[in-house]
Amino acid sequence: MTSVESTPPPLLGATEIRRLADELDVRPTKTLGQNFVIDGNTIRRIVAAAKLDPNETVLEVGPGLGSLTLGLLDAAARVVAVEIDPKLAARLPQTIKEFRPTKAESLTVILSDAMKITELPHEPTSLVANLPYNVAVPVVLHLLEHFPSLQRGLVMVQDEVADRMAAGPGNKTYGVPSVKGAWYGTMRKAGVIGMNVFWPAPKINSGLVGFERSEPPVTTASREEVFAVIDAAFAQRRKTLRAALAGWAGSPVLAEAALVAAGIDPQARGEKLGILEFTAIAEAKQKLENGSQ
């Protein structure tokens, strides 16, 4: 006897997405960076790459019309969806009732800007989201800062942003997103998504970035102090650290003193340093200031 493969539960395709959009009189806007996924296989690929545990609570930012939400509810115990658009937030529970009636109680929708949330009704363990291109990095960093329960995640962003988030020291795309992301854990490029699976189709490919949280570097410097060094170093990335950090330290001489104390060559550039070196610089400045008081 041949085994009968079970048919996977239906996901939203182009027809359903356009029907919902017409019903709500919604058109994807550049302002909110909206591009709706209209391909079920892409949703399945994203969910599989996220490697979710069946008991997890997933945080989804910008669920839109619910394409990814349905896939996440198939794989996890609960989804907390944060949506900034009132029309979309109001319609999402109804869509889940239509397509996954048994999972309707497993969805919580929060009408809010993801950059403003600092607490949620359920502690999320994973972040899986198709993020608006224009706010992807700030959103990820904000959520990692305010929700220590987030242990892993997978986000879809503009492909070049994915490269920046996952880059290591010395890479030409290495910069502020790379270093700040490394404070929270390990970021990795997890794939590329083509343009034709979205409505409207963007002009560039999207990239998947996976992350695993780990403990931040052990230091007496605060996260804010370390991030201030990173911002200063990359604001003038072509300059040596002695010059680039002059404003942050108070003068080129003070910048050099902090760099030397941290064991960093003052003539080096920020793009060569990892999160541990930036942490050491912040801590060295702190110790020098404390010693001079």
Side-chain angles (χ1 to χ4, degrees):
M1 289 178 62
T2 57
S3 60
V4 179
E5 289 188 13
S6 59
T7 306
L11 295 166
L12 300 181
T15 304
E16 290 81 15
I17 290 289
R18 290 195 169 90
R19 172 177 68 81
L20 288 168
D22 287 342
E23 174 199 319
L24 297 173
D25 194 24
V26 165
R27 288 294 172 268
T29 70
K30 284 189 177 179
T31 311
L32 296 178
Q34 291 168 322
N35 296 92
F36 300 135
V37 181
I38 55 173
D39 177 65
N41 287 332
T42 299
I43 296 298
R44 291 187 186 96
R45 180 183 163 194
I46 293 168
V47 172
K51 297 177 181 173
L52 297 170
D53 184 281
N55 298 316
E56 289 206 67
T57 293
V58 179
L59 173 58
E60 182 186 10
V61 173
L65 292 166
S67 306
L68 180 56
T69 316
L70 287 168
L72 293 174
L73 284 168
D74 289 337
R78 175 172 292 281
V79 173
V80 179
V82 177
E83 175 58 61
I84 196 171
D85 187 315
K87 279 187 183 179
L88 297 175
R91 182 61 169 84
L92 188 58
Q94 188 181 334
T95 303
I96 302 308
K97 282 179 185 173
E98 283 177 32
F99 286 84
R100 296 291 188 282
T102 61
K103 292 295 186 93
E105 298 302 315
S106 301
L107 172 72
T108 303
V109 180
I110 309 291
L111 175 60
S112 180
D113 179 345
M115 286 297 292
K116 294 178 180 173
I117 58 168
T118 55
E119 56 183 12
L120 290 167
H122 306 279
E123 275 200 348
T125 50
S126 284
L127 168 67
V128 186
N130 169 20
L131 292 174
Y133 287 171
N134 50 349
V135 295
V137 171
V139 163
V140 170
L141 294 176
H142 172 82
L143 295 173
L144 285 171
E145 176 189 348
H146 290 283
F147 297 97
S149 61
L150 285 173
Q151 292 303 304
R152 68 193 68 80
L154 186 84
V155 294
M156 182 157 58
V157 298
Q158 190 173 328
D159 194 34
E160 62 183 46
V161 174
D163 289 336
R164 288 205 292 273
M165 291 174 75
N171 190 299
K172 65 180 181 186
T173 58
Y174 185 71
V176 173
S178 327
V179 199
K180 289 185 178 179
W183 172 268
Y184 294 105
T186 305
M187 302 263 176
R188 60 185 170 77
K189 184 85 173 280
V192 177
I193 303 290
M195 297 170 267
N196 60 349
V197 301
F198 295 95
W199 174 62
K203 292 182 170 60
I204 42 177
N205 287 335
S206 299
L208 296 175
V209 178
F211 70 84
E212 294 279 343
R213 187 189 283 271
S214 57
E215 288 299 313
V218 177
T219 175
T220 56
S222 67
R223 180 189 58 81
E224 290 81 5
E225 288 169 328
V226 176
F227 281 18
V229 185
I230 296 166
D231 288 332
F234 286 98
Q236 304 177 77
R237 65 184 295 153
R238 293 185 183 278
K239 292 189 175 183
T240 65
L241 285 167
R242 182 183 191 276
L245 298 181
W248 163 80
S251 74
V253 172
L254 291 170
E256 181 164 346
L259 288 161
V260 170
I264 308 292
D265 180 0
Q267 298 304 308
R269 287 176 171 77
E271 61 202 31
K272 300 296 184 185
L273 273 55
I275 187 61
L276 294 178
E277 286 87 355
F278 282 109
T279 302
I281 295 167
E283 189 169 307
K285 176 175 179 272
Q286 184 188 72
K287 287 177 179 175
L288 287 170
E289 288 174 344
N290 291 340
S292 65
Q293 288 172 4

